[in-house]
Amino acid sequence: MPAPRTLLLTGAAGGVGTLMRGLLPRYGYELRLLDVAPVPDAPDAIVADLADREAVREAVRGVDAIVHLAGISVEAEFDAIVAANVTGLHRLYEAAREEGVRRVVFASSNHAVGFTPAPRDGEPLVPITAPHRPDTYYGLSKCFGEDLAQLYWDRHGVETVSVRIGSCFPEPTSVRMLSLWLSPADCARLLHAALTAERVGHTVVYGSSANTRGWWDLAPARALGYAPQDDSEPYAPGLLAARGLPAPGSPDDLYIGGGFTAL
Ligand code: NAI
Ligand code: 15L
């Protein structure tokens, strides 16, 4: 598809949204911002809940693509998760369909496959074909999101790249994150690849940097044109000295989802 120019960035007030507001314009995008919370230093941002059908439809009108980060990003009460991450997501896709927006990048999560065993040294990387194994209601909502994206491709021709983000923060802050870290710069690279790749249909990829201790097969993301430049390894000596390896049999030792599997 032609490179999108105008993007709706939902969740613009959040952690990843704030980082991407700084980085995505370097790729030539013009951003329209939406969040239920006010977006600092962005007086033009749309302050609206995903539940607000009219506001969401107006927000998507005229954009070339959507980067969808908004939603509850941790474990919470089931009803709250459903409102934001299930009903809210449906509102967004309906608006995209109605307004003719052809490409969405959906922020899925490692917690959609959180009960997948973390590979040991020498074991194969986790393939993208690994089945859903949500570790929380939050992870379950991301499984739903991936399936909703598939439905909107098959039924309505709205393309999506679902990115199962590992841990996107300025730096890794735990030993587990050494395997899952997605640096902000690599996140922007991956979003750009997902926005510009041809004919993605619905494609699911893992989203991490090129971590020496990485757990995931990044081939599907690389096939979109993603070329990660960062590696968490420089943070390893400090984190290991401060925290040591996860205790054998602990959630961080056993599972990709780490502590979420024990909430
Ligand atoms: P965050 O919690 O910092 O930001 C989420 C934003 O969505 C917030 O600003 C919040 O106000 C907004 N929001 C929540 N409910 C909303 C609603 N009903 N309507 C409109 N806006 C709403 O989360 P973060 O860390 O920035 O994550 C962004 C996305 O990426 C989330 O979907 C999260 O699940 C996903 N993700 C993030 C990871 C990370 O490492 N930060 C890892 C895996 C997935
Ligand atoms: C996520 O899905 C969360 O949104 C984020 O806050 C982190 O907890 C991340 O996963 C992680 O697993 O490190």
Side-chain angles (χ1 to χ4, degrees):
M1 70 180 244
R5 181 147 184 78
T6 54
L7 298 184
L8 175 67
L9 180 71
T10 73
V16 179
T18 300
L19 294 164
M20 293 307 107
R21 278 199 286 138
L23 292 169
L24 285 175
R26 297 177 199 177
Y27 292 85
Y29 299 113
E30 287 172 19
L31 302 184
R32 185 183 296 174
L33 309 177
L34 179 145
D35 202 293
V36 72
V39 183
D41 305 321
D44 293 339
I46 300 161
V47 179
D49 196 301
L50 290 170
D52 184 340
R53 206 185 294 263
E54 281 312 308
V56 172
R57 184 158 178 184
E58 200 172 316
V60 308
R61 191 167 297 145
V63 298
D64 297 322
I66 300 168
V67 173
H68 182 54
L69 304 176
I72 293 180
S73 62
V74 291
E75 182 61 328
E77 293 293 326
F78 184 74
D79 289 352
I81 296 264
V82 168
N85 295 10
V86 174
T87 306
L89 189 73
H90 177 247
R91 295 275 191 279
L92 184 82
Y93 271 86
E94 270 299 275
R97 181 185 67 77
E98 289 165 346
E99 294 296 332
V101 180
R102 311 309 297 169
R103 177 73 59 97
V104 178
V105 181
F106 167 57
S108 184
S109 170
N110 71 84
H111 297 291
V113 291
F115 266 112
T116 305
R120 308 283 170 192
D121 281 350
E123 288 184 352
L125 297 172
V126 178
I128 201 65
T129 50
H132 282 162
R133 296 186 75 171
D135 54 27
T136 43
Y137 295 140
Y138 164 64
L140 183 63
S141 75
K142 296 298 185 180
C143 298
F144 172 86
E146 293 180 8
D147 276 354
L148 187 79
Q150 185 68 50
L151 175 69
Y152 271 73
W153 165 242
D154 288 332
R155 186 172 281 272
H156 302 301
V158 178
E159 291 193 297
T160 297
V161 178
S162 292
V163 181
R164 290 182 188 155
I165 300 173
S167 300
C168 184
F169 297 94
E171 302 183 352
T173 56
S174 68
V175 171
R176 169 178 166 271
M177 280 195 200
L178 293 172
S179 300
L180 291 177
W181 188 49
L182 176 64
S183 75
D186 278 344
C187 183
R189 287 184 187 102
L190 179 48
L191 294 179
H192 179 57
L195 287 162
T196 52
E198 297 285 341
R199 290 184 291 279
V200 298
H202 175 228
T203 300
V204 185
V205 303
Y206 291 123
S208 73
S209 287
N211 302 317
T212 300
R213 296 161 197 259
W215 286 333
W216 281 339
D217 178 8
L218 295 181
R222 290 182 189 277
L224 297 176
Y226 172 55
Q229 302 295 306
D230 294 320
D231 183 344
S232 62
E233 203 54 21
Y235 298 95
L239 284 168
L240 287 165
R243 314 217 175 163
L245 286 170
S250 66
D252 276 16
D253 175 55
L254 292 176
Y255 299 118
I256 283 179
F260 278 49
T261 64
L263 289 175

